[in-house]
Amino acid sequence: MSEVRAIAIDDLEIGQSAEAVRVVTEEDLELFAKVSGDYNPVHMDEDFARATPFRGRIAHGALVASFISGVLGNQLPGPGAIFLGLNLRFFRPTRIGDEVTTRVTVKSVDLKSRKAIMDCLCTIGGEVAMEAEAEVMVRKRRRKSTDG
């Protein structure tokens, strides 16, 4: 596995982006329910979920939102980034087997506070499933050591 490198606050540029693609699985829903304690039957019980307006099981919204955290923490800005806030809106449900593309784009950078605002988009088959705006604290560039 290659080393994941962080992008320092002064290296972030408006419009810079990163994305990841993930297929939602049955196991994802089971593990998320276990970790979160959210066993809502619309996520876990097909018979129950068929009787809802969704006409079948849907993934936890917070599970889909967590895909943003993966891009922020692993790619842009990467390791050391601290998730400060997230404002999100869902437009369509995510189901088992859906391939979710999560794209994060730098919207603004505040060097003084070391914070960046990121536009976040999760799509399925080109359709918007969720839009969000994330606030992230970004690390400073590390000084190179003069020690040998």
Side-chain angles (χ1 to χ4, degrees), residues 21-92:
V21 178
R22 182 176 178 130
V23 175
V24 176
T25 67
E26 172 77 33
E27 182 181 26
D28 291 335
L29 270 64
E30 291 171 11
L31 291 171
F32 192 82
K34 183 176 181 180
V35 169
S36 69
D38 181 354
Y39 289 93
N40 183 333
V42 75
H43 308 305
M44 310 306 294
D45 181 333
E46 184 63 38
D47 290 335
F48 177 92
R50 264 197 297 267
T52 70
F54 300 110
R55 300 185 188 265
R57 290 172 65 195
I58 61 171
H60 302 75
L63 169 64
V64 178
S66 75
F67 297 164
I68 294 168
S69 182
V71 176
L72 294 173
N74 293 319
Q75 296 179 59
L76 182 66
I82 304 297
F83 211 154
L84 297 174
L86 184 65
N87 185 10
L88 54 90
R89 182 161 175 83
F90 294 95
F91 296 95
R92 64 158 285 186

Side-chain angles (χ1 to χ4, degrees), residues 6-145:
I7 299 171
I9 187 73
D10 36 358
D11 292 331
L12 283 181
E13 297 177 11
I14 294 172
Q16 188 174 9
S17 65
E19 71 178 38
V21 178
R22 182 176 178 130
V23 175
V24 176
T25 67
E26 172 77 33
E27 182 181 26
D28 291 335
L29 270 64
E30 291 171 11
L31 291 171
F32 192 82
K34 183 176 181 180
V35 169
S36 69
D38 181 354
Y39 289 93
N40 183 333
V42 75
H43 308 305
M44 310 306 294
D45 181 333
E46 184 63 38
D47 290 335
F48 177 92
R50 264 197 297 267
T52 70
F54 300 110
R55 300 185 188 265
R57 290 172 65 195
I58 61 171
H60 302 75
L63 169 64
V64 178
S66 75
F67 297 164
I68 294 168
S69 182
V71 176
L72 294 173
N74 293 319
Q75 296 179 59
L76 182 66
I82 304 297
F83 211 154
L84 297 174
L86 184 65
N87 185 10
L88 54 90
R89 182 161 175 83
F90 294 95
F91 296 95
R92 64 158 285 186
T94 301
R95 301 180 187 280
I96 294 169
D98 282 348
E99 183 178 86
V100 180
T101 300
T102 303
R103 183 172 192 81
V104 171
T105 304
V106 179
K107 180 178 181 178
S108 67
V109 177
D110 184 334
L111 295 173
K112 186 175 181 180
S113 69
R114 292 183 24 223
K115 293 178 185 172
I117 303 296
M118 314 294 248
D119 281 330
C120 310
L121 191 65
C122 292
T123 58
I124 300 166
E127 287 186 44
V128 175
M130 181 188 69
E131 288 180 343
E133 185 177 88
E135 181 180 12
V136 183
M137 183 181 293
V138 184
R139 62 181 281 288
K140 293 181 189 177
R141 182 177 298 129
R142 292 188 180 155
R143 292 188 180 150
K144 293 187 179 181
S145 174

